Amino acid sequence: MKEFKRIGVLTSGGDAPGMNAAVRAVCRTALTRGVEVMAIYRGYSGLIEGDIKPLEIRDVSNIINKGGTILYSDRCPEFKTKEGRAKAIDNCRRFGIDGIVVIGGDGTFQGATKLTEEGVPCIGIPATIDNDITSTDNTIGFDTAMNTVIELVDKLRDTCESHARCNVVEVMGRGAGDIALNTAIASGATAVVVPEFPHDDNSICKRIKKARELGKRNFIVIVSEGVGHEYAPALAQKIQEETGVETKFARLAHIVRGGNPTLADRILASKMGVYAVEELLRGNSNKVICERNGDICAVSINYSHVLDAMYKDKLKEGELESITAEELEIMKAEIEEKKSELLALYTVENKINL
Ligand code: ADP
Ligand code: F6P
């Protein structure tokens, strides 16, 4: 089995609260096992450029509570090229890096797969506010982002109540409605619009009009960015025109990507960080660490990627070839389960929010 003397850790893609807690857990676990740790700054860009320094035990003190990432993050198109990755692999040799824990989303894991295949074993930790990695129940940063959304929406509700207004609030999530759906329930929104379910502007307007006639003063409508950035401002205008309720529009955007991670994200990041290093030192690689029904486990990056592609209806030609018939059946069941969980949430939202 490969002996690991020194590993690297990097954060890549969109940052997420809790990334620092994961870096800390990776660093402390490795050092406890007698393995040195190198900080790779700015994701794959830093790996290509050699922006790499030792990470000591005290370097990760007082970061478990901090948002952003002390390693910084980047999107690095050059890493998608074989030449770019050759420079990265040279730097791994130069800095004596035997394996890398990459913290990011699906794109980051695609890079990790290529790096593993080209000689540097990698393990992925899922960190994105979007919760759009189907193989794990939760991604690091999702819980914090949702808590930030409800805090901000609660404030909007105060001013909507004073002025008898409606506020349409667009939240991030890329193609996934998870943030929107959960925060709509938790903030008592009148309606929610997500890409996973059909939406009907007229019925939202009708609902608001009727509730206003019955004396309701404030209205919150949460829209996931996944339906298109032009949708939410147009909906705000339509609500105002059709219902007579003065309606404002707010795009929360990147503000929900910052801030101190919640307890749930700190714990998830710590568990995943420990597991990732142990998995790498066990000699396993090309895997993503997942949380499933409360347990931490490792799933192959390829399985995770194909599952995502199937769930999102974005399967490319040939992607199923590496999947066995048995795995395919398991994947179908997992997708059904995820879809029905989302539908159950949507149903709750529809039943209780008026
Ligand atoms: P995320 O990891 O949050 O999904 P991105 O999709 O932007 O974010 O991916 C982060 C980085 O991972 C990219 O900037 C690129 O350096 C690397 N990456 C993404 N896709 C690939 C790929 N197919 N091959 C190699 N590297 C990739
Ligand atoms: O994936 C995280 C995320 O914040 C998405 O919710 C959003 O669509 C995207 O990243 C924004 O990317 P950028 O930081 O490049 O504007």
Side-chain angles (χ1 to χ4, degrees):
M1 190 160 58
K2 186 178 169 73
E3 203 201 329
F4 288 86
K5 289 202 177 100
R6 186 180 285 168
I7 63 166
V9 57
L10 61 79
T11 51
S12 160
D15 66 348
M19 276 183 161
N20 284 327
V23 169
R24 173 180 178 270
V26 166
C27 178
R28 294 265 165 100
T29 310
L31 293 176
T32 308
R33 297 277 302 263
V35 175
E36 292 173 0
V37 184
M38 299 301 275
I40 301 162
Y41 292 91
R42 295 179 293 115
Y44 292 127
S45 301
L47 193 57
I48 288 178
E49 292 166 27
D51 192 359
I52 300 169
K53 294 185 188 79
L55 200 61
E56 307 292 352
I57 204 140
R58 291 272 76 85
D59 295 334
V60 293
S61 295
N62 308 320
I63 66 164
I64 194 167
N65 56 330
K66 292 211 163 70
T69 157
I70 61 156
L71 301 183
Y72 312 127
S73 192
D74 203 5
R75 295 202 160 95
C76 174
E78 195 185 353
F79 198 75
K80 293 188 180 177
T81 68
K82 188 126 187 153
E83 296 72 33
R85 290 196 301 279
K87 290 186 204 164
I89 291 165
D90 274 354
N91 278 327
C92 289
R93 309 267 179 269
R94 188 153 74 91
F95 288 90
I97 294 172
D98 303 314
I100 304 180
V101 176
V102 303
I103 305 169
D106 181 58
T108 300
F109 303 154
Q110 291 313 296
T113 288
K114 296 205 171 130
L115 207 51
T116 304
E117 286 167 358
E118 290 161 13
V120 182
C122 295
I123 291 279
I125 295 182
T128 160
I129 61 163
D130 305 333
N131 205 37
D132 62 347
I133 296 175
T134 317
S135 57
T136 183
D137 293 342
N138 290 295
T139 56
I140 296 166
F142 174 50
D143 187 66
T144 306
M146 289 192 296
N147 278 288
T148 305
V149 169
I150 60 169
E151 192 188 325
L152 296 172
V153 170
D154 286 350
K155 291 183 202 300
L156 285 172
R157 180 187 289 283
D158 290 345
T159 170
C160 283
E161 177 69 8
S162 305
H163 290 268
R165 283 175 179 158
C166 172
N167 217 311
V168 174
V169 185
E170 185 198 86
V171 297
M172 277 188 167
R174 213 179 280 265
D178 295 43
I179 294 179
L181 207 42
N182 284 283
T183 58
I185 294 172
S187 61
T190 296
V192 64
V193 179
V194 290
E196 290 87 348
F197 300 108
H199 41 270
D200 174 4
D201 301 359
N202 293 328
S203 87
I204 294 174
C205 290
K206 258 194 221 153
R207 220 195 287 184
I208 291 175
K209 200 162 181 218
K210 194 167 158 215
R212 171 53 60 89
E213 280 160 13
L214 295 171
K216 184 167 169 55
R217 288 180 63 82
N218 75 71
F219 299 94
I220 297 287
V221 177
I222 303 222
V223 177
S224 168
E225 68 169 351
V227 297
H229 287 291
E230 67 293 337
Y231 179 84
L235 178 65
Q237 201 180 341
K238 180 163 180 170
I239 291 172
Q240 178 155 312
E241 282 164 12
E242 305 271 315
T243 67
V245 176
E246 190 185 356
T247 302
K248 302 284 180 188
F249 164 65
R251 175 170 288 142
L252 301 188
H254 296 81
I255 199 159
V256 305
R257 242 167 60 184
N260 301 352
T262 55
L263 177 138
D265 276 331
R266 296 181 200 193
I267 302 280
L268 182 64
S270 300
K271 285 182 180 173
M272 287 182 162
V274 171
Y275 201 101
V277 173
E278 287 176 346
E279 191 68 4
L280 197 59
L281 301 189
R282 270 195 285 273
N284 294 324
S285 59
N286 209 1
K287 293 195 165 184
V288 55
I289 307 303
C290 297
E291 185 193 45
R292 294 174 160 217
N293 302 317
D295 292 329
I296 304 294
C297 60
V299 171
S300 101
I301 289 181
N302 184 52
Y303 182 97
S304 173
H305 176 73
V306 175
L307 183 67
D308 255 358
M310 272 175 70
Y311 177 73
K312 294 169 188 163
D313 235 350
K314 286 184 177 163
L315 209 55
K316 292 197 197 107
E317 218 186 309
E319 279 188 330
L320 270 184
E321 278 166 18
S322 56
I323 301 297
T324 65
E326 195 188 338
E327 281 175 331
L328 189 62
E329 285 316 302
I330 299 172
M331 280 179 172
K332 284 182 185 163
E334 285 185 52
I335 288 168
E336 276 322 300
E337 194 184 335
K338 167 116 186 166
K339 283 190 173 165
S340 64
E341 277 169 16
L342 216 58
L343 179 61
L345 271 183
Y346 191 64
T347 310
V348 166
E349 200 280 335
N350 274 291
K351 281 187 180 160
I352 61 173
N353 291 336
L354 292 173

